[in-house]
Amino acid sequence: MTYILGIESSCDETAAAVVIDGKTIASNVVATQIDLHAKYGGVFPEVASRAHVEAIGAVVEQAMEDAGIDYSQLDAIAVTRGPGLVGSLLVGVNYAKGLALSTGKPLLGIHHIEGHIYSLWLTQPFREVVFPVLVLIVSGGHTDLILMRGHGQYERLGGTLDDAAGEAFDKVGRLLGLPFPGGPHIQQAAQLGNPTAYKFPRAKQDESYDFSFSGLKTAVMREVTVQPSTQARSKRRRGAEKKARLRSDVSVHDVAASFQAALVDILVEKTARAAAEYGATEILIAGGVSANSLLRQQMRAKTELPVRYPPLNLCTDNGAMIAAAAHMRFEMGLRSNLNFEVLPMWPLTSDAYELADKMV
Amino acid sequence: MPILRDNELDIISHSVEQTQRIGARLGALLQAGDVICLAGDMGAGKTVFTAGIGRGWGAIAPVTSPTFNLVHEHRREKDNLRLIHIDCYRLQGVADLETIGFDDILARHGVLIIEWPERIEGALPKDKLWIEFNILEPTRRSFLLEADGARYQQLLNQFKEATFGV
């Protein structure tokens, strides 16, 4: 049996987990910072790295204790190398390097998005994935459609041209006066709303597999806010910020429901079409927005293929997914150098790990 | 047409596609060390414009919103130059710049695109191109380009020529 400790700190969760053979979660500890960032309306880098520093030791210790094993029983230590916020990534990576140095265990620097994908391997460990599969990555920073023909093989079919899906949720949430993060709060508000009250555009209805959510966000803004005065030039405008005001006759519930329906339609249409075109055996959804219940439900309804998504606790960032991806890489022979650098931007491709050291 | 100073240029775009094309014209002219500030409300077209800049400049990966990660770095085929795209929306002020490594970014001497520059005005270099985005109507946007310093006056002139032939 292979025991891997996975450490994740790329954004606003400090997380660690021990996973056995890439499939069985022995422990999974997550310290979230959502409350810390709510007042900023988004993850705030300085606050995030400080909170990571404070939490990481205890989180890793707890993960080891919950798993009931000693460092000497580990086969490897894995950590998110990127993409993500520099300051946040550094906390996890430096901690993991220290652990690797003191325990003599191999260290693996793992791709965060690959982690999200391999969280799907933790969900139904007894039903093997049959390639090719189509993966939809939807989170605050990413929206990508990826065809996987084998382990570690990623063919990007398309992705967002502007805002990520989770970012669109956050921005519309902010417009509607809902708390951060936008996703869960819009979903909640949408429950009491009419999804057909507003006809928001399903932009980018073309043959490509690219997404665009900026137009949808702007359409929502146009519909629900007081038009800013149309003076072409605000006087010496620098520093003067215009704030869009919510119209008083707008139902937040209806807007939330209509916006969510439009966004889900866009995601589902492209995903289902790509899955059919490339003969995928299964659709995998991963990333924070995969927690959205309308997305899950519509994806199942609009395609004949099985749809796999993580349980709610594995949708958001966690250490188990990093350990799961690391297991695959460990088997393939990856061992990272102790002096590797973090990669805030790191495209997920089939040769991502070969290119990694050349990117710095 | 408003009366503008020599170092200013006012453009109206009638569509998202046009905004992107205007951005591409500018992107093709950018050099190492250039600083372009994009100010204006959410939905005014800053990211679309930057996507155009990326296209014109030759970025390998499509330029998307950096709101989540705050800093995106792009590269192109033809040389080693980097295009660095920053979103300051969530920064509270100049003090927060340290957290995104702003000094390092300036020292890298790439092309720098800054969204929400209002948030960090005190830390910006004196010479720069400042573009103010305004929403006129649902699909119409106006851009006011203002050049500070000789390099940006030259850039603005080149841009005028590339775009209007004057």
Side-chain angles (χ1 to χ4, degrees):
Chain A
M1 288 205 290
T2 312
Y3 285 80
I4 296 183
L5 168 67
I7 299 174
E8 151 69 36
S9 72
S10 67
C11 188
D12 61 338
E13 329 273 3
T14 321
V18 174
V19 171
I20 307 166
D21 291 336
K23 287 183 173 173
T24 311
I25 300 177
S27 67
N28 189 25
V29 180
V30 180
T32 184
Q33 310 174 0
I34 285 183
D35 293 347
L36 277 178
H37 298 290
K39 65 176 173 179
Y40 299 107
V43 179
F44 197 67
E46 174 67 18
V47 176
S49 21
R50 245 184 288 130
H52 283 305
V53 171
E54 280 166 26
I56 190 141
V59 167
V60 172
E61 288 302 319
Q62 188 68 47
M64 292 300 290
E65 198 184 313
D66 288 359
I69 60 165
D70 193 76
Y71 286 107
S72 65
Q73 290 167 274
L74 285 175
D75 292 278
I77 295 163
V79 63
T80 306
R81 179 175 181 182
L85 303 170
V86 188
S88 293
L89 288 166
L90 278 170
V91 177
V93 165
N94 288 338
Y95 195 86
K97 284 178 178 174
L99 270 185
L101 204 61
S102 60
T103 59
K105 299 294 177 184
L107 177 67
L108 284 80
I110 295 298
H111 195 293
H112 178 75
I113 299 302
E114 184 168 71
H116 274 300
I117 293 175
Y118 277 83
S119 70
L120 275 317
W121 268 256
L122 295 164
T123 57
Q124 292 161 306
F126 303 107
R127 193 158 67 82
E128 284 293 332
V129 170
V130 179
F131 295 108
V133 292
L134 189 78
V135 188
L136 172 67
I137 304 287
V138 267
S139 67
H142 300 268
T143 304
D144 291 301
L145 263 181
I146 294 169
L147 183 70
M148 276 181 84
R149 297 188 198 271
H151 283 293
Q153 298 298 307
Y154 310 104
E155 187 183 327
R156 188 173 182 274
L157 304 178
T160 184
L161 299 173
D162 37 57
D163 299 357
E167 186 183 337
F169 268 113
D170 286 340
K171 285 181 174 168
V172 168
R174 197 182 301 138
L175 267 181
L176 296 177
L178 298 171
F180 174 83
H185 290 103
I186 284 182
Q187 172 168 319
Q188 196 185 0
Q191 282 171 357
L192 300 169
N194 171 7
T196 60
Y198 296 90
K199 289 271 168 290
F200 292 131
R202 272 68 172 163
K204 227 43 212 154
Q205 294 289 28
D206 56 17
E207 294 308 299
S208 82
Y209 293 117
D210 289 326
F211 303 99
S212 168
F213 298 111
S214 177
L216 173 59
K217 166 198 77 188
T218 305
V220 173
M221 191 177 78
R222 207 152 66 214
E223 195 67 56
V224 305
T225 56
V226 181
Q227 284 281 330
S229 62
T230 52
Q231 64 203 34
R233 300 184 60 194
S234 39
K235 48 160 181 24
R236 267 351 250 180
R237 58 254 154 234
R238 292 196 184 178
E241 227 173 80
K242 295 149 289 176
K243 263 258 160 24
R245 269 189 308 127
L246 200 62
R247 267 175 31 208
S248 54
D249 60 339
V250 157
S251 154
V252 168
H253 298 294
D254 286 351
V255 176
S258 304
F259 160 75
Q260 180 180 247
L263 184 134
V264 165
D265 271 1
I266 297 168
L267 289 173
V268 170
E269 190 271 332
K270 301 247 166 177
T271 308
R273 191 154 50 80
E277 187 184 328
Y278 288 92
T281 65
E282 202 173 344
I283 292 172
L284 276 52
I285 318 177
V289 181
S290 66
N292 184 276
S293 53
L294 186 69
L295 175 63
R296 295 174 164 206
Q297 177 210 323
Q298 288 294 308
M299 198 67 87
R300 303 192 88 122
K302 299 278 171 65
T303 147
E304 307 280 304
L305 295 172
V307 180
R308 201 186 283 228
Y309 40 75
L312 289 178
N313 67 328
L314 296 183
C315 287
T316 45
D317 296 347
N318 60 84
M321 69 185 204
I322 299 304
H327 179 262
M328 181 271 292
R329 291 285 166 192
F330 186 77
E331 298 282 292
M332 289 170 124
L334 176 76
R335 305 289 184 274
S336 302
N337 232 324
L338 266 180
N339 57 8
F340 74 76
E341 297 195 40
V342 300
L343 298 172
M345 282 191 85
W346 186 15
L348 183 62
T349 54
S350 299
D351 53 1
Y353 286 81
E354 285 82 60
L355 293 179
D357 291 321
K358 295 176 200 148
M359 290 187 53
V360 182
Chain B
M1 181 89 178
I3 296 167
L4 299 170
R5 281 168 288 225
D6 273 351
N7 65 338
E8 292 184 349
L9 173 66
D10 197 10
I11 304 180
I12 289 178
S13 165
H14 298 268
S15 68
V16 170
E17 292 72 27
Q18 196 182 4
T19 299
Q20 212 180 87
R21 286 199 300 273
I22 295 169
R25 286 279 159 80
L26 181 64
L29 301 170
L30 297 178
Q31 296 175 359
D34 283 349
V35 178
I36 314 295
C37 299
L38 310 179
D41 224 340
M42 189 166 105
K46 298 185 297 295
T47 302
V48 170
F49 190 85
T50 314
I53 289 182
R55 219 180 60 198
W57 180 78
I60 297 168
V63 173
T64 60
S65 166
T67 304
F68 192 77
N69 275 348
L70 304 173
V71 183
H72 278 179
E73 191 177 306
H74 295 271
R75 47 191 75 220
R76 62 180 176 183
E77 298 280 358
K78 74 172 183 187
D79 53 27
N80 257 337
L81 194 61
R82 305 295 168 96
L83 183 144
I84 301 162
H85 183 193
I86 311 184
D87 188 322
C88 300
Y89 184 82
R90 292 207 308 271
L91 302 188
Q92 311 286 307
V94 173
D96 290 335
L97 277 174
E98 206 179 308
T99 70
I100 61 168
F102 192 67
D103 288 345
D104 291 341
I105 289 171
L106 282 178
R108 309 263 303 265
H109 215 60
V111 169
L112 187 54
I113 313 289
I114 306 174
E115 294 193 39
W116 296 96
E118 305 94 317
R119 300 284 163 99
I120 57 157
E121 240 194 305
L124 295 171
K126 194 166 73 56
D127 287 3
K128 59 195 167 291
L129 184 68
W130 183 284
I131 308 180
E132 184 80 20
F133 290 69
N134 274 293
I135 303 176
L136 299 180
E137 281 158 40
T139 60
R140 291 206 316 155
R141 304 284 186 272
S142 81
F143 317 130
L144 182 69
L145 290 79
E146 187 184 333
D148 292 338
R151 158 63 192 147
Y152 298 93
Q153 185 65 57
Q154 177 204 12
L155 178 63
L156 193 65
N157 293 343
Q158 288 172 338
F159 176 71
K160 272 186 200 164
E161 204 177 312
T163 314
F164 310 109
V166 285

PDB file of all heavy atoms in Angstrom, chain A residues 34 36-44 170-171 174 178-182, chain B residues 67 89-90 92:
ATOM      1  N   ILE A  34     -12.801  31.305   4.354  1.00  0.00           N
ATOM      2  CA  ILE A  34     -13.875  32.058   3.691  1.00  0.00           C
ATOM      3  C   ILE A  34     -14.305  33.283   4.502  1.00  0.00           C
ATOM      4  O   ILE A  34     -14.441  34.374   3.979  1.00  0.00           O
ATOM      5  CB  ILE A  34     -15.089  31.145   3.408  1.00  0.00           C
ATOM      6  CG1 ILE A  34     -14.769  30.237   2.235  1.00  0.00           C
ATOM      7  CG2 ILE A  34     -16.329  31.971   3.082  1.00  0.00           C
ATOM      8  CD1 ILE A  34     -15.888  29.343   1.794  1.00  0.00           C
ATOM      9  N   LEU A  36     -12.655  35.043   6.532  1.00  0.00           N
ATOM     10  CA  LEU A  36     -11.625  36.085   6.499  1.00  0.00           C
ATOM     11  C   LEU A  36     -11.738  36.937   5.245  1.00  0.00           C
ATOM     12  O   LEU A  36     -11.456  38.124   5.251  1.00  0.00           O
ATOM     13  CB  LEU A  36     -10.233  35.447   6.508  1.00  0.00           C
ATOM     14  CG  LEU A  36      -9.648  35.030   7.838  1.00  0.00           C
ATOM     15  CD1 LEU A  36      -8.294  34.380   7.613  1.00  0.00           C
ATOM     16  CD2 LEU A  36      -9.513  36.228   8.753  1.00  0.00           C
ATOM     17  N   HIS A  37     -12.116  36.296   4.126  1.00  0.00           N
ATOM     18  CA  HIS A  37     -12.096  36.992   2.849  1.00  0.00           C
ATOM     19  C   HIS A  37     -13.438  37.597   2.476  1.00  0.00           C
ATOM     20  O   HIS A  37     -13.513  38.388   1.556  1.00  0.00           O
ATOM     21  CB  HIS A  37     -11.642  36.042   1.741  1.00  0.00           C
ATOM     22  CG  HIS A  37     -10.255  35.531   1.949  1.00  0.00           C
ATOM     23  ND1 HIS A  37      -9.169  36.341   1.821  1.00  0.00           N
ATOM     24  CD2 HIS A  37      -9.792  34.318   2.315  1.00  0.00           C
ATOM     25  CE1 HIS A  37      -8.072  35.630   2.086  1.00  0.00           C
ATOM     26  NE2 HIS A  37      -8.428  34.407   2.389  1.00  0.00           N
ATOM     27  N   ALA A  38     -14.492  37.211   3.202  1.00  0.00           N
ATOM     28  CA  ALA A  38     -15.836  37.649   2.820  1.00  0.00           C
ATOM     29  C   ALA A  38     -15.905  39.170   2.727  1.00  0.00           C
ATOM     30  O   ALA A  38     -16.512  39.720   1.821  1.00  0.00           O
ATOM     31  CB  ALA A  38     -16.860  37.124   3.820  1.00  0.00           C
ATOM     32  N   LYS A  39     -15.234  39.861   3.645  1.00  0.00           N
ATOM     33  CA  LYS A  39     -15.363  41.320   3.647  1.00  0.00           C
ATOM     34  C   LYS A  39     -14.646  41.972   2.467  1.00  0.00           C
ATOM     35  O   LYS A  39     -14.917  43.107   2.129  1.00  0.00           O
ATOM     36  CB  LYS A  39     -14.885  41.912   4.976  1.00  0.00           C
ATOM     37  CG  LYS A  39     -13.420  41.724   5.246  1.00  0.00           C
ATOM     38  CD  LYS A  39     -13.023  42.438   6.544  1.00  0.00           C
ATOM     39  CE  LYS A  39     -11.589  42.084   6.883  1.00  0.00           C
ATOM     40  NZ  LYS A  39     -11.085  42.697   8.070  1.00  0.00           N
ATOM     41  N   TYR A  40     -13.722  41.243   1.838  1.00  0.00           N
ATOM     42  CA  TYR A  40     -13.047  41.797   0.666  1.00  0.00           C
ATOM     43  C   TYR A  40     -13.788  41.461  -0.626  1.00  0.00           C
ATOM     44  O   TYR A  40     -13.417  41.942  -1.687  1.00  0.00           O
ATOM     45  CB  TYR A  40     -11.626  41.245   0.544  1.00  0.00           C
ATOM     46  CG  TYR A  40     -10.741  41.570   1.704  1.00  0.00           C
ATOM     47  CD1 TYR A  40     -10.391  40.591   2.623  1.00  0.00           C
ATOM     48  CD2 TYR A  40     -10.260  42.862   1.877  1.00  0.00           C
ATOM     49  CE1 TYR A  40      -9.573  40.888   3.701  1.00  0.00           C
ATOM     50  CE2 TYR A  40      -9.449  43.168   2.948  1.00  0.00           C
ATOM     51  CZ  TYR A  40      -9.108  42.185   3.858  1.00  0.00           C
ATOM     52  OH  TYR A  40      -8.308  42.484   4.911  1.00  0.00           O
ATOM     53  N   GLY A  41     -14.777  40.562  -0.543  1.00  0.00           N
ATOM     54  CA  GLY A  41     -15.487  40.150  -1.746  1.00  0.00           C
ATOM     55  C   GLY A  41     -14.635  39.281  -2.643  1.00  0.00           C
ATOM     56  O   GLY A  41     -14.857  39.180  -3.832  1.00  0.00           O
ATOM     57  N   GLY A  42     -13.637  38.659  -2.078  1.00  0.00           N
ATOM     58  CA  GLY A  42     -12.769  37.782  -2.864  1.00  0.00           C
ATOM     59  C   GLY A  42     -11.563  37.428  -2.026  1.00  0.00           C
ATOM     60  O   GLY A  42     -11.336  38.023  -0.974  1.00  0.00           O
ATOM     61  N   VAL A  43     -10.814  36.461  -2.518  1.00  0.00           N
ATOM     62  CA  VAL A  43      -9.650  36.029  -1.753  1.00  0.00           C
ATOM     63  C   VAL A  43      -8.603  37.129  -1.767  1.00  0.00           C
ATOM     64  O   VAL A  43      -8.262  37.670  -2.811  1.00  0.00           O
ATOM     65  CB  VAL A  43      -9.058  34.745  -2.348  1.00  0.00           C
ATOM     66  CG1 VAL A  43      -7.829  34.325  -1.567  1.00  0.00           C
ATOM     67  CG2 VAL A  43     -10.099  33.657  -2.334  1.00  0.00           C
ATOM     68  N   PHE A  44      -8.101  37.460  -0.604  1.00  0.00           N
ATOM     69  CA  PHE A  44      -7.151  38.537  -0.506  1.00  0.00           C
ATOM     70  C   PHE A  44      -5.768  37.979  -0.198  1.00  0.00           C
ATOM     71  O   PHE A  44      -5.560  37.334   0.822  1.00  0.00           O
ATOM     72  CB  PHE A  44      -7.598  39.536   0.548  1.00  0.00           C
ATOM     73  CG  PHE A  44      -6.881  40.814   0.365  1.00  0.00           C
ATOM     74  CD1 PHE A  44      -7.123  41.575  -0.754  1.00  0.00           C
ATOM     75  CD2 PHE A  44      -5.905  41.199   1.252  1.00  0.00           C
ATOM     76  CE1 PHE A  44      -6.405  42.728  -0.973  1.00  0.00           C
ATOM     77  CE2 PHE A  44      -5.191  42.353   1.036  1.00  0.00           C
ATOM     78  CZ  PHE A  44      -5.442  43.123  -0.073  1.00  0.00           C
ATOM     79  N   ASP A 170     -19.243  35.095  -8.561  1.00  0.00           N
ATOM     80  CA  ASP A 170     -18.808  36.078  -7.566  1.00  0.00           C
ATOM     81  C   ASP A 170     -19.212  37.499  -7.962  1.00  0.00           C
ATOM     82  O   ASP A 170     -19.688  38.279  -7.145  1.00  0.00           O
ATOM     83  CB  ASP A 170     -17.282  36.037  -7.385  1.00  0.00           C
ATOM     84  CG  ASP A 170     -16.833  34.810  -6.598  1.00  0.00           C
ATOM     85  OD1 ASP A 170     -17.670  34.216  -5.894  1.00  0.00           O
ATOM     86  OD2 ASP A 170     -15.645  34.460  -6.690  1.00  0.00           O
ATOM     87  N   LYS A 171     -19.022  37.825  -9.243  1.00  0.00           N
ATOM     88  CA  LYS A 171     -19.293  39.192  -9.680  1.00  0.00           C
ATOM     89  C   LYS A 171     -20.789  39.489  -9.674  1.00  0.00           C
ATOM     90  O   LYS A 171     -21.207  40.565  -9.265  1.00  0.00           O
ATOM     91  CB  LYS A 171     -18.692  39.428 -11.066  1.00  0.00           C
ATOM     92  CG  LYS A 171     -17.166  39.586 -11.003  1.00  0.00           C
ATOM     93  CD  LYS A 171     -16.538  39.843 -12.353  1.00  0.00           C
ATOM     94  CE  LYS A 171     -15.049  40.138 -12.192  1.00  0.00           C
ATOM     95  NZ  LYS A 171     -14.326  40.128 -13.470  1.00  0.00           N
ATOM     96  N   ARG A 174     -21.967  39.873  -6.166  1.00  0.00           N
ATOM     97  CA  ARG A 174     -21.616  41.188  -5.620  1.00  0.00           C
ATOM     98  C   ARG A 174     -22.607  42.245  -6.101  1.00  0.00           C
ATOM     99  O   ARG A 174     -23.054  43.088  -5.333  1.00  0.00           O
ATOM    100  CB  ARG A 174     -20.198  41.546  -6.056  1.00  0.00           C
ATOM    101  CG  ARG A 174     -19.567  42.651  -5.248  1.00  0.00           C
ATOM    102  CD  ARG A 174     -18.182  42.978  -5.775  1.00  0.00           C
ATOM    103  NE  ARG A 174     -17.269  41.841  -5.763  1.00  0.00           N
ATOM    104  CZ  ARG A 174     -16.430  41.538  -6.749  1.00  0.00           C
ATOM    105  NH1 ARG A 174     -16.400  42.267  -7.845  1.00  0.00           N
ATOM    106  NH2 ARG A 174     -15.616  40.520  -6.644  1.00  0.00           N
ATOM    107  N   LEU A 178     -25.119  39.989  -2.574  1.00  0.00           N
ATOM    108  CA  LEU A 178     -25.005  38.727  -1.837  1.00  0.00           C
ATOM    109  C   LEU A 178     -23.578  38.568  -1.329  1.00  0.00           C
ATOM    110  O   LEU A 178     -22.637  39.090  -1.912  1.00  0.00           O
ATOM    111  CB  LEU A 178     -25.353  37.550  -2.759  1.00  0.00           C
ATOM    112  CG  LEU A 178     -26.784  37.549  -3.308  1.00  0.00           C
ATOM    113  CD1 LEU A 178     -26.953  36.480  -4.378  1.00  0.00           C
ATOM    114  CD2 LEU A 178     -27.780  37.331  -2.173  1.00  0.00           C
ATOM    115  N   PRO A 179     -23.409  37.828  -0.234  1.00  0.00           N
ATOM    116  CA  PRO A 179     -22.060  37.671   0.325  1.00  0.00           C
ATOM    117  C   PRO A 179     -21.154  36.818  -0.558  1.00  0.00           C
ATOM    118  O   PRO A 179     -21.625  36.084  -1.426  1.00  0.00           O
ATOM    119  CB  PRO A 179     -22.303  36.968   1.662  1.00  0.00           C
ATOM    120  CG  PRO A 179     -23.767  36.918   1.885  1.00  0.00           C
ATOM    121  CD  PRO A 179     -24.430  37.135   0.567  1.00  0.00           C
ATOM    122  N   PHE A 180     -19.860  36.921  -0.315  1.00  0.00           N
ATOM    123  CA  PHE A 180     -18.846  36.094  -0.977  1.00  0.00           C
ATOM    124  C   PHE A 180     -18.788  34.753  -0.262  1.00  0.00           C
ATOM    125  O   PHE A 180     -18.938  34.701   0.947  1.00  0.00           O
ATOM    126  CB  PHE A 180     -17.495  36.800  -0.882  1.00  0.00           C
ATOM    127  CG  PHE A 180     -16.337  35.982  -1.392  1.00  0.00           C
ATOM    128  CD1 PHE A 180     -16.046  35.952  -2.737  1.00  0.00           C
ATOM    129  CD2 PHE A 180     -15.554  35.251  -0.509  1.00  0.00           C
ATOM    130  CE1 PHE A 180     -14.984  35.197  -3.204  1.00  0.00           C
ATOM    131  CE2 PHE A 180     -14.487  34.490  -0.969  1.00  0.00           C
ATOM    132  CZ  PHE A 180     -14.202  34.470  -2.320  1.00  0.00           C
ATOM    133  N   PRO A 181     -18.551  33.638  -0.916  1.00  0.00           N
ATOM    134  CA  PRO A 181     -18.462  33.494  -2.374  1.00  0.00           C
ATOM    135  C   PRO A 181     -19.820  33.451  -3.047  1.00  0.00           C
ATOM    136  O   PRO A 181     -20.795  32.997  -2.452  1.00  0.00           O
ATOM    137  CB  PRO A 181     -17.727  32.160  -2.523  1.00  0.00           C
ATOM    138  CG  PRO A 181     -18.019  31.409  -1.272  1.00  0.00           C
ATOM    139  CD  PRO A 181     -18.276  32.415  -0.186  1.00  0.00           C
ATOM    140  N   GLY A 182     -19.864  33.915  -4.293  1.00  0.00           N
ATOM    141  CA  GLY A 182     -21.131  34.080  -4.983  1.00  0.00           C
ATOM    142  C   GLY A 182     -21.864  32.770  -5.247  1.00  0.00           C
ATOM    143  O   GLY A 182     -23.084  32.713  -5.141  1.00  0.00           O
TER     144      GLY A 182
ATOM    145  N   THR B  67      -8.900  38.325 -12.391  1.00  0.00           N
ATOM    146  CA  THR B  67      -9.474  38.717 -11.109  1.00  0.00           C
ATOM    147  C   THR B  67      -9.170  37.710 -10.012  1.00  0.00           C
ATOM    148  O   THR B  67      -8.855  38.069  -8.889  1.00  0.00           O
ATOM    149  CB  THR B  67     -11.003  38.882 -11.227  1.00  0.00           C
ATOM    150  OG1 THR B  67     -11.264  39.820 -12.249  1.00  0.00           O
ATOM    151  CG2 THR B  67     -11.599  39.390  -9.932  1.00  0.00           C
ATOM    152  N   TYR B  89      -8.580  45.053  -8.573  1.00  0.00           N
ATOM    153  CA  TYR B  89      -9.917  45.266  -8.013  1.00  0.00           C
ATOM    154  C   TYR B  89      -9.973  44.976  -6.516  1.00  0.00           C
ATOM    155  O   TYR B  89     -10.590  45.693  -5.745  1.00  0.00           O
ATOM    156  CB  TYR B  89     -10.934  44.375  -8.739  1.00  0.00           C
ATOM    157  CG  TYR B  89     -12.345  44.624  -8.277  1.00  0.00           C
ATOM    158  CD1 TYR B  89     -13.080  45.683  -8.799  1.00  0.00           C
ATOM    159  CD2 TYR B  89     -12.934  43.834  -7.287  1.00  0.00           C
ATOM    160  CE1 TYR B  89     -14.359  45.938  -8.362  1.00  0.00           C
ATOM    161  CE2 TYR B  89     -14.219  44.089  -6.844  1.00  0.00           C
ATOM    162  CZ  TYR B  89     -14.931  45.141  -7.384  1.00  0.00           C
ATOM    163  OH  TYR B  89     -16.189  45.406  -6.940  1.00  0.00           O
ATOM    164  N   ARG B  90      -9.324  43.905  -6.113  1.00  0.00           N
ATOM    165  CA  ARG B  90      -9.435  43.518  -4.704  1.00  0.00           C
ATOM    166  C   ARG B  90      -8.346  44.119  -3.823  1.00  0.00           C
ATOM    167  O   ARG B  90      -8.340  43.892  -2.622  1.00  0.00           O
ATOM    168  CB  ARG B  90      -9.432  41.989  -4.583  1.00  0.00           C
ATOM    169  CG  ARG B  90     -10.673  41.359  -5.171  1.00  0.00           C
ATOM    170  CD  ARG B  90     -10.977  40.038  -4.512  1.00  0.00           C
ATOM    171  NE  ARG B  90      -9.837  39.159  -4.518  1.00  0.00           N
ATOM    172  CZ  ARG B  90      -9.559  38.309  -5.491  1.00  0.00           C
ATOM    173  NH1 ARG B  90     -10.323  38.238  -6.546  1.00  0.00           N
ATOM    174  NH2 ARG B  90      -8.509  37.543  -5.406  1.00  0.00           N
ATOM    175  N   GLN B  92      -6.632  46.935  -1.689  1.00  0.00           N
ATOM    176  CA  GLN B  92      -7.196  48.061  -0.952  1.00  0.00           C
ATOM    177  C   GLN B  92      -6.356  49.317  -1.128  1.00  0.00           C
ATOM    178  O   GLN B  92      -6.776  50.394  -0.787  1.00  0.00           O
ATOM    179  CB  GLN B  92      -7.289  47.719   0.540  1.00  0.00           C
ATOM    180  CG  GLN B  92      -7.937  46.384   0.823  1.00  0.00           C
ATOM    181  CD  GLN B  92      -9.434  46.425   0.616  1.00  0.00           C
ATOM    182  OE1 GLN B  92     -10.112  47.276   1.165  1.00  0.00           O
ATOM    183  NE2 GLN B  92      -9.955  45.517  -0.194  1.00  0.00           N
TER     184      GLN B  92
END
